[in-house]
PDB file of all heavy atoms in Angstrom:
ATOM      1  N   VAL A  69       7.488  11.185  -4.305  1.00 98.00           N
ATOM      2  CA  VAL A  69       6.279  10.473  -4.729  1.00 98.00           C
ATOM      3  C   VAL A  69       6.567   8.979  -4.872  1.00 98.00           C
ATOM      4  O   VAL A  69       5.747   8.132  -4.471  1.00 98.00           O
ATOM      5  CB  VAL A  69       5.725  11.061  -6.044  1.00 98.00           C
ATOM      6  CG1 VAL A  69       4.674  10.133  -6.661  1.00 98.00           C
ATOM      7  CG2 VAL A  69       5.111  12.439  -5.785  1.00 98.00           C
ATOM      8  N   GLN A  70       7.716   8.637  -5.407  1.00 97.00           N
ATOM      9  CA  GLN A  70       8.074   7.225  -5.544  1.00 97.00           C
ATOM     10  C   GLN A  70       8.208   6.554  -4.177  1.00 97.00           C
ATOM     11  O   GLN A  70       7.766   5.416  -3.984  1.00 97.00           O
ATOM     12  CB  GLN A  70       9.384   7.075  -6.326  1.00 97.00           C
ATOM     13  CG  GLN A  70       9.726   5.632  -6.661  1.00 97.00           C
ATOM     14  CD  GLN A  70       8.627   4.925  -7.426  1.00 97.00           C
ATOM     15  OE1 GLN A  70       8.202   5.373  -8.481  1.00 97.00           O
ATOM     16  NE2 GLN A  70       8.121   3.807  -6.886  1.00 97.00           N
ATOM     17  N   LYS A  71       8.800   7.280  -3.226  1.00 98.00           N
ATOM     18  CA  LYS A  71       8.913   6.733  -1.866  1.00 98.00           C
ATOM     19  C   LYS A  71       7.525   6.508  -1.260  1.00 98.00           C
ATOM     20  O   LYS A  71       7.279   5.513  -0.575  1.00 98.00           O
ATOM     21  CB  LYS A  71       9.736   7.677  -0.982  1.00 98.00           C
ATOM     22  CG  LYS A  71      11.229   7.710  -1.297  1.00 98.00           C
ATOM     23  CD  LYS A  71      11.959   8.666  -0.381  1.00 98.00           C
ATOM     24  CE  LYS A  71      13.450   8.729  -0.699  1.00 98.00           C
ATOM     25  NZ  LYS A  71      14.145   7.460  -0.432  1.00 98.00           N
ATOM     26  N   LEU A  72       6.625   7.453  -1.512  1.00 98.00           N
ATOM     27  CA  LEU A  72       5.253   7.314  -1.015  1.00 98.00           C
ATOM     28  C   LEU A  72       4.569   6.103  -1.656  1.00 98.00           C
ATOM     29  O   LEU A  72       3.875   5.328  -0.979  1.00 98.00           O
ATOM     30  CB  LEU A  72       4.461   8.590  -1.310  1.00 98.00           C
ATOM     31  CG  LEU A  72       4.820   9.809  -0.446  1.00 98.00           C
ATOM     32  CD1 LEU A  72       4.377  11.108  -1.121  1.00 98.00           C
ATOM     33  CD2 LEU A  72       4.175   9.683   0.932  1.00 98.00           C
ATOM     34  N   LEU A  73       4.781   5.935  -2.964  1.00 98.00           N
ATOM     35  CA  LEU A  73       4.201   4.778  -3.655  1.00 98.00           C
ATOM     36  C   LEU A  73       4.777   3.466  -3.140  1.00 98.00           C
ATOM     37  O   LEU A  73       4.105   2.425  -3.162  1.00 98.00           O
ATOM     38  CB  LEU A  73       4.446   4.905  -5.163  1.00 98.00           C
ATOM     39  CG  LEU A  73       3.657   6.011  -5.887  1.00 98.00           C
ATOM     40  CD1 LEU A  73       4.139   6.159  -7.317  1.00 98.00           C
ATOM     41  CD2 LEU A  73       2.152   5.705  -5.853  1.00 98.00           C
ATOM     42  N   ASP A  74       6.007   3.520  -2.649  1.00 97.00           N
ATOM     43  CA  ASP A  74       6.658   2.328  -2.094  1.00 97.00           C
ATOM     44  C   ASP A  74       6.205   2.029  -0.670  1.00 97.00           C
ATOM     45  O   ASP A  74       6.652   1.042  -0.070  1.00 97.00           O
ATOM     46  CB  ASP A  74       8.181   2.499  -2.110  1.00 97.00           C
ATOM     47  CG  ASP A  74       8.751   2.472  -3.521  1.00 97.00           C
ATOM     48  OD1 ASP A  74       8.056   1.970  -4.430  1.00 97.00           O
ATOM     49  OD2 ASP A  74       9.878   2.965  -3.720  1.00 97.00           O
ATOM     50  N   GLY A  75       5.351   2.900  -0.125  1.00 97.00           N
ATOM     51  CA  GLY A  75       4.778   2.623   1.192  1.00 97.00           C
ATOM     52  C   GLY A  75       5.292   3.484   2.322  1.00 97.00           C
ATOM     53  O   GLY A  75       4.855   3.326   3.467  1.00 97.00           O
ATOM     54  N   GLN A  76       6.205   4.403   2.039  1.00 98.00           N
ATOM     55  CA  GLN A  76       6.711   5.265   3.106  1.00 98.00           C
ATOM     56  C   GLN A  76       5.727   6.390   3.411  1.00 98.00           C
ATOM     57  O   GLN A  76       5.057   6.895   2.512  1.00 98.00           O
ATOM     58  CB  GLN A  76       8.069   5.868   2.717  1.00 98.00           C
ATOM     59  CG  GLN A  76       9.206   4.865   2.673  1.00 98.00           C
ATOM     60  CD  GLN A  76      10.552   5.555   2.559  1.00 98.00           C
ATOM     61  OE1 GLN A  76      10.780   6.607   3.146  1.00 98.00           O
ATOM     62  NE2 GLN A  76      11.470   4.952   1.808  1.00 98.00           N
ATOM     63  N   ASN A  77       5.654   6.762   4.676  1.00 98.00           N
ATOM     64  CA  ASN A  77       4.883   7.930   5.094  1.00 98.00           C
ATOM     65  C   ASN A  77       5.842   9.115   5.209  1.00 98.00           C
ATOM     66  O   ASN A  77       6.921   8.988   5.807  1.00 98.00           O
ATOM     67  CB  ASN A  77       4.199   7.696   6.438  1.00 98.00           C
ATOM     68  CG  ASN A  77       3.110   6.644   6.338  1.00 98.00           C
ATOM     69  OD1 ASN A  77       2.317   6.652   5.402  1.00 98.00           O
ATOM     70  ND2 ASN A  77       3.070   5.729   7.300  1.00 98.00           N
ATOM     71  N   ILE A  78       5.467  10.246   4.624  1.00 98.00           N
ATOM     72  CA  ILE A  78       6.355  11.408   4.594  1.00 98.00           C
ATOM     73  C   ILE A  78       5.627  12.629   5.142  1.00 98.00           C
ATOM     74  O   ILE A  78       4.465  12.878   4.818  1.00 98.00           O
ATOM     75  CB  ILE A  78       6.833  11.688   3.153  1.00 98.00           C
ATOM     76  CG1 ILE A  78       7.648  10.498   2.629  1.00 98.00           C
ATOM     77  CG2 ILE A  78       7.663  12.968   3.098  1.00 98.00           C
ATOM     78  CD1 ILE A  78       8.102  10.657   1.186  1.00 98.00           C
ATOM     79  N   ALA A  79       6.331  13.396   5.980  1.00 98.00           N
ATOM     80  CA  ALA A  79       5.816  14.666   6.488  1.00 98.00           C
ATOM     81  C   ALA A  79       6.514  15.802   5.755  1.00 98.00           C
ATOM     82  O   ALA A  79       7.736  15.780   5.593  1.00 98.00           O
ATOM     83  CB  ALA A  79       6.057  14.788   7.982  1.00 98.00           C
ATOM     84  N   LEU A  80       5.762  16.771   5.294  1.00 98.00           N
ATOM     85  CA  LEU A  80       6.316  17.950   4.641  1.00 98.00           C
ATOM     86  C   LEU A  80       6.228  19.125   5.594  1.00 98.00           C
ATOM     87  O   LEU A  80       5.169  19.412   6.143  1.00 98.00           O
ATOM     88  CB  LEU A  80       5.540  18.264   3.359  1.00 98.00           C
ATOM     89  CG  LEU A  80       5.966  19.536   2.614  1.00 98.00           C
ATOM     90  CD1 LEU A  80       7.378  19.374   2.055  1.00 98.00           C
ATOM     91  CD2 LEU A  80       4.979  19.847   1.489  1.00 98.00           C
ATOM     92  N   ILE A  81       7.373  19.797   5.816  1.00 97.00           N
ATOM     93  CA  ILE A  81       7.369  20.993   6.657  1.00 97.00           C
ATOM     94  C   ILE A  81       8.082  22.125   5.923  1.00 97.00           C
ATOM     95  O   ILE A  81       8.955  21.899   5.089  1.00 97.00           O
ATOM     96  CB  ILE A  81       8.029  20.767   8.034  1.00 97.00           C
ATOM     97  CG1 ILE A  81       9.491  20.341   7.886  1.00 97.00           C
ATOM     98  CG2 ILE A  81       7.240  19.751   8.851  1.00 97.00           C
ATOM     99  CD1 ILE A  81      10.231  20.225   9.218  1.00 97.00           C
ATOM    100  N   THR A  82       7.702  23.342   6.239  1.00 95.00           N
ATOM    101  CA  THR A  82       8.368  24.514   5.696  1.00 95.00           C
ATOM    102  C   THR A  82       9.161  25.166   6.813  1.00 95.00           C
ATOM    103  O   THR A  82       9.106  24.714   7.963  1.00 95.00           O
ATOM    104  CB  THR A  82       7.319  25.487   5.106  1.00 95.00           C
ATOM    105  OG1 THR A  82       7.984  26.573   4.495  1.00 95.00           O
ATOM    106  CG2 THR A  82       6.377  25.997   6.169  1.00 95.00           C
ATOM    107  N   ASP A  83       9.910  26.218   6.504  1.00 92.00           N
ATOM    108  CA  ASP A  83      10.701  26.872   7.548  1.00 92.00           C
ATOM    109  C   ASP A  83       9.823  27.392   8.679  1.00 92.00           C
ATOM    110  O   ASP A  83      10.212  27.371   9.840  1.00 92.00           O
ATOM    111  CB  ASP A  83      11.496  28.046   6.955  1.00 92.00           C
ATOM    112  CG  ASP A  83      12.753  27.570   6.241  1.00 92.00           C
ATOM    113  OD1 ASP A  83      13.091  26.377   6.373  1.00 92.00           O
ATOM    114  OD2 ASP A  83      13.390  28.377   5.551  1.00 92.00           O
ATOM    115  N   ALA A  84       8.640  27.879   8.337  1.00 93.00           N
ATOM    116  CA  ALA A  84       7.712  28.398   9.342  1.00 93.00           C
ATOM    117  C   ALA A  84       6.323  28.461   8.744  1.00 93.00           C
ATOM    118  O   ALA A  84       6.151  28.917   7.619  1.00 93.00           O
ATOM    119  CB  ALA A  84       8.144  29.790   9.807  1.00 93.00           C
ATOM    120  N   GLY A  85       5.349  27.968   9.476  1.00 95.00           N
ATOM    121  CA  GLY A  85       3.969  28.055   9.014  1.00 95.00           C
ATOM    122  C   GLY A  85       3.472  26.806   8.311  1.00 95.00           C
ATOM    123  O   GLY A  85       4.006  25.708   8.503  1.00 95.00           O
TER     124      GLY A  85
END
Side-chain angles (χ1 to χ4, degrees):
V69 167
Q70 187 56 56
K71 288 180 181 294
L72 287 159
L73 290 172
D74 290 341
Q76 290 191 37
N77 292 316
I78 298 177
L80 176 67
I81 60 175
T82 184
D83 280 350

